[in-house]
Amino acid sequence: MARFYNSGEDELYLYDFRVFDKIVGIFSVIWTLYIVWLYQNVLLPRPESLYMPINWFQTVFMPTLPHPAYFYSMVVLTLLSLILNYFRQHLFYRIVLFFFILWLNALKWNYNFASHVGHIFVLTYFFSIFLNFDKMGTDVRGRAAAVHWFHAGILLTYTFAGVWKFIGLFYKLFIDTQKMGWLHEHAIELNAIVSKRIHDEFPSSSVLQLYSIPYLWEVLTAGIFLIQLFSIMGSLNKRLSYFFLAGLIIFHLYNSILNNTDFYVAGITLILLFFPYHRYKRIFDAVLIKSGSGNNAV
């Protein structure tokens, strides 16, 4: 690992996290307004009989679809927490904000289905709880190491996904050979059809022709599995982070555009997380850092 870790980037990591911490808060306001739209236009009109909490968090904090008064109280508290965290970073504020973000994101999981959409966004708030820079003094290396671990925790979710996909791949290649695996020539095509049929749609003829190109999708599938498997290495240095960011963004865009799998929030979160803010330091210093100086986290 010593060959990949570049201690000369410590200041860049600290600066980039500092700006990310501000920008993700602004994005979270927009995301909260989207949850308001989702609640009003999608969840409220649904029959109450479809509401089925599936884990302890939902059972305790939202056993039934929240009444508008309860829901909007949580929205207001979330927005207040975002404002507090923007101007003053504190461990208690981060814990409270994580709870509200998790609560809002969990609303759509109450229909006997636990979607993985939104998990990366929620994890950024969870792992930020452990970035207690007040306990680290002014040690640049220690603070930068904390940011590296913060990135590693988020990217580890993709690495776990890659591990399970390779386990499933080898299992179907060498053990359960009667079932279709990801490297089957029709696997991606069938996956696209199933994803579309969930939405009462069907892939267009041009898309189906695209899936018929020999060996292309098998190679691309193996490639994206490898990117997922080694994603955690993107937490080591800037160049690796940009490489894995590009691969994961392409993966999310493909699923969003062709498979109706809404990974928009995950893609935006990854871009905000690994964007090279230090290259535009003058702009971000003027617009964000000074406006929310207070007791900065970094």
Side-chain angles (χ1 to χ4, degrees):
M1 289 296 178
R3 295 181 56 188
F4 295 103
Y5 181 78
N6 183 359
S7 60
E9 295 178 330
D10 285 352
E11 292 282 358
L12 303 184
Y13 268 91
L14 290 177
Y15 183 84
D16 284 352
F17 174 80
R18 187 179 178 186
V19 178
F20 162 77
D21 200 43
K22 303 294 184 185
I23 290 185
V24 77
I26 297 171
F27 171 69
S28 298
V29 173
I30 300 171
W31 175 85
T32 301
L33 297 178
Y34 161 72
I35 297 297
V36 171
W37 175 89
L38 183 74
Y39 174 79
Q40 283 292 145
N41 296 280
V42 179
L43 301 184
L44 276 181
R46 284 181 179 172
E48 292 184 13
S49 58
L50 295 179
Y51 193 90
M52 299 180 190
I54 60 174
N55 61 45
W56 70 268
F57 182 87
Q58 296 151 298
T59 302
V60 172
F61 295 106
M62 51 184 76
T64 60
L65 182 65
H67 185 275
Y70 179 25
F71 171 77
Y72 283 106
S73 296
M74 297 297 282
V75 169
V76 170
L77 290 172
T78 301
L79 294 175
L80 288 175
S81 295
L82 285 168
I83 293 171
L84 283 172
N85 273 271
Y86 186 90
F87 289 102
R88 181 178 175 82
Q89 284 72 39
H90 189 278
L91 177 61
F92 176 74
Y93 295 158
R94 287 189 181 274
I95 293 173
V96 171
L97 181 55
F98 165 67
F99 171 80
F100 289 134
I101 294 293
L102 177 62
W103 191 93
L104 289 176
N105 195 71
L107 274 176
K108 60 181 179 292
W109 296 344
N110 284 295
Y111 295 86
N112 202 31
F113 175 68
S115 169
H116 48 267
V117 175
H119 67 296
I120 294 298
F121 177 66
V122 174
L123 282 175
T124 60
Y125 281 100
F126 174 71
F127 287 118
S128 72
I129 292 173
F130 302 97
L131 290 173
N132 191 5
F133 291 107
D134 292 338
K135 302 295 184 182
M136 300 180 191
T138 58
D139 178 28
V140 172
R141 186 163 222 178
R143 291 180 172 219
V147 175
H148 281 289
W149 281 111
F150 171 69
H151 290 170
I154 295 169
L155 291 176
L156 187 61
T157 61
Y158 289 101
T159 293
F160 281 151
V163 168
W164 283 113
K165 284 175 180 175
F166 271 105
I167 290 175
L169 185 65
F170 287 120
Y171 178 78
K172 290 182 180 178
L173 277 176
F174 301 108
I175 300 176
D176 196 357
T177 58
Q178 300 302 313
K179 293 183 179 179
M180 181 184 295
W182 281 110
L183 294 186
H184 190 279
E185 59 180 334
H186 297 302
I188 297 298
E189 178 184 9
L190 180 60
N191 182 62
I193 293 172
V194 171
S195 297
K196 285 288 187 179
R197 293 304 296 159
I198 291 175
H199 299 273
D200 291 327
E201 299 175 8
F202 197 82
S204 65
S205 58
S206 58
V207 170
L208 291 177
Q209 288 179 354
L210 189 64
Y211 284 132
S212 66
I213 300 176
Y215 305 112
L216 172 65
W217 295 98
E218 293 93 316
V219 172
L220 291 178
T221 298
I224 196 61
F225 284 3
L226 285 171
I227 287 175
Q228 288 184 309
L229 181 65
F230 293 106
S231 284
I232 193 172
M233 294 183 67
S235 64
L236 296 177
N237 66 59
K238 291 292 183 183
R239 289 186 178 181
L240 284 174
S241 72
Y242 301 148
F243 169 77
F244 287 105
L245 171 64
L248 294 174
I249 292 300
I250 291 171
F251 167 70
H252 286 318
L253 285 175
Y254 158 77
N255 278 291
S256 297
I257 295 172
L258 294 182
N259 290 344
N260 285 14
T261 305
D262 298 329
F263 280 120
Y264 303 117
V265 175
I268 293 172
T269 302
L270 287 172
I271 292 173
L272 295 181
L273 184 62
F274 293 106
F275 188 83
Y277 300 105
H278 60 274
R279 297 187 179 222
Y280 310 93
K281 190 173 187 298
R282 182 178 300 178
I283 297 174
F284 289 111
D285 277 353
V287 176
L288 291 172
I289 300 300
K290 292 180 180 178
S291 65
S293 55
N295 180 23
N296 287 309
V298 179

